[in-house]
Amino acid sequence: MDLTPWKRALEAAEALVKQNPNDLRALRLLAEIYTETQWAIRAWEAWMNYREQGGIWDEASREAAAKVARTLAFYANQRGDRAEAERWAAQALAVGAGQ
């Protein structure tokens, strides 16, 4: 897979957020791109920023953020960090439930 288009998309979305840090569309776009590229920790931070800025926490955004948290739980488990894995798994459940 050619990563250049994804890199360009990320750079453009990051620039857009930098120029317009309160633009919910830009924040969501950045979160969606990080999620799609499987950059999990950045995706989580972007989804939380979107939510904190008042973004609509609809089913699609909750599912995406929960997926990211499950990925982070998996990575923590792979590292043998059971407590961290459990924390991320709990975050996935909470976000999926709309909390």
Side-chain angles (χ1 to χ4, degrees):
M1 174 169 72
D2 184 6
L3 299 178
T4 302
W6 284 113
K7 183 178 180 193
R8 287 186 187 145
L10 272 173
E11 289 170 351
E14 287 171 342
L16 188 58
V17 168
K18 188 173 184 177
Q19 292 172 354
N20 305 292
N22 297 318
D23 183 337
L24 295 176
R25 292 174 300 166
L27 293 170
R28 185 173 181 136
L29 175 63
L30 184 60
E32 289 172 343
I33 293 171
Y34 277 134
T35 300
E36 194 64 31
T37 59
Q38 298 180 22
W39 198 338
I41 195 64
R42 291 264 179 114
W44 179 259
E45 292 166 353
W47 281 117
M48 293 303 102
N49 187 31
Y50 170 75
R51 184 179 182 186
E52 289 165 6
Q53 295 298 323
I56 297 171
W57 207 229
D58 58 11
E59 184 176 350
S61 60
R62 288 191 316 269
E63 285 180 10
K67 174 185 174 183
V68 169
R70 286 191 302 272
T71 298
L72 290 166
F74 174 79
Y75 292 156
N77 191 55
Q78 290 295 100
R79 290 190 312 271
D81 189 341
R82 184 132 177 102
E84 186 74 2
E86 289 175 4
R87 185 178 77 77
W88 282 114
Q91 285 285 352
L93 290 173
V95 166
Q99 300 173 359

